[in-house]
Amino acid sequence: MAKDDFGFEFDLKGFTESLTKIEKQVLPTAQAGFLNGIAFGARRSLLAYAEKNIEGSPNAWTKRGFVVKKATAANPEYSVEILPEQAKYMQYLVNGGERRVGDPGATKYDVRVDSADETKNRFGNSPRHYLSRISKKAKREKDKRGKLAARRDKLRASGKSVAAATWGAQKKSTDSGIFFGKIRNTRGYWQRPEQRGGKLKLLVRFADAAKYDASFKWTTPSPAT
């Protein structure tokens, strides 16, 4: 027990013990808050860097993959990470490498290399499910053309005109048709010309593999506060 010059008594030992208890409770929490501020600043810097260095800018799904694993009072460590699903795609930008059939971003049969400019959104990517839509459309067309060919064979065999069983007679006025094939060493989905003798248009190009150079420097930006 201590006594000051004015006759006021106070428990110095108890006060010291209380202060130590407060320090143990408050300081780790304050430290975690400070570290998390740095972490979220680093995340903002990485997103800003991604906007400048990813061709066409990252889309909303990619941005959601940049997350902060926050520090706590019990564990004063933080990290800025990419979620596993987004990391599967980002790995080619961060580490470089070769994407092959079956890898993330590829199909079971091919690796999509590029798409027609008019099919891309402002991020430089084809709209969601675009490939699935044109694949199904090409399959429907192939089936229909097969049936029309069989129908023409029957008409010819019976000496009748085949005009009504041609693709031109069946298709919509604005639909020239699409198909999957290899033209001049380029494999992909092609749009048929509207007029006979016209030019084919490549919609999606495929290859067996696609090589990537490391272009996204994960440690380059400094935290922005």
Side-chain angles (χ1 to χ4, degrees), residues 42-57:
R43 179 180 181 273
R44 287 193 295 272
S45 291
L46 283 167
L47 287 172
Y49 178 75
E51 288 283 351
K52 295 178 181 178
N53 289 275
I54 295 180
E55 184 178 358
S57 297

Side-chain angles (χ1 to χ4, degrees), residues 7-196:
F8 178 77
E9 296 182 349
F10 61 96
D11 186 352
L12 181 59
K13 182 179 179 181
F15 174 77
T16 303
E17 290 176 350
S18 296
L19 180 60
T20 302
K21 187 179 294 184
I22 292 172
E23 288 176 343
K24 289 181 178 178
Q25 292 175 347
V26 175
L27 293 183
T29 301
Q31 177 181 252
F34 174 74
L35 293 174
N36 290 333
I38 295 176
F40 281 101
R43 179 180 181 273
R44 287 193 295 272
S45 291
L46 283 167
L47 287 172
Y49 178 75
E51 288 283 351
K52 295 178 181 178
N53 289 275
I54 295 180
E55 184 178 358
S57 297
N59 58 26
W61 180 81
T62 301
K63 291 178 181 178
R64 287 196 297 270
F66 288 67
V67 297
V68 170
K69 186 176 181 181
K70 295 195 293 185
T72 65
N75 182 24
E77 293 184 0
Y78 72 86
S79 62
V80 182
E81 305 174 355
I82 301 180
L83 293 176
E85 283 304 308
Q86 284 85 343
K88 291 178 183 177
Y89 294 83
M90 286 290 296
Q91 64 175 316
Y92 299 104
L93 299 179
V94 176
N95 302 318
E98 188 171 76
R99 176 181 279 143
R100 292 186 165 276
V101 172
D103 288 341
T107 73
K108 294 186 296 183
Y109 312 103
D110 304 278
V111 178
R112 179 167 54 175
V113 178
D114 198 12
S115 302
D117 289 340
E118 60 268 30
T119 70
K120 298 176 182 178
N121 57 26
R122 67 187 183 90
F123 300 110
N125 304 313
S126 295
R128 189 180 184 187
H129 304 312
Y130 172 73
L131 182 57
S132 176
R133 289 199 301 271
I134 65 170
S135 174
K136 291 177 181 178
K137 183 177 180 181
K139 185 179 185 305
R140 287 196 300 268
E141 180 179 332
K142 183 178 180 180
D143 292 343
K144 188 171 183 179
R145 284 180 180 273
K147 292 176 181 178
L148 287 172
R151 183 180 170 191
R152 288 195 298 272
D153 289 342
K154 290 182 179 180
L155 289 171
R156 288 192 189 97
S158 61
K160 297 179 181 179
S161 172
V162 299
T166 62
W167 178 258
Q170 301 292 320
K171 75 178 185 65
K172 298 178 181 178
S173 59
T174 58
D175 183 11
S176 57
I178 61 175
F179 68 96
F180 182 88
K182 189 174 183 179
I183 307 294
R184 294 186 295 276
N185 295 319
T186 299
R187 188 167 74 248
Y189 284 102
W190 300 82
Q191 182 174 317
R192 301 176 190 274
E194 293 185 8
Q195 302 294 331
R196 183 179 293 274

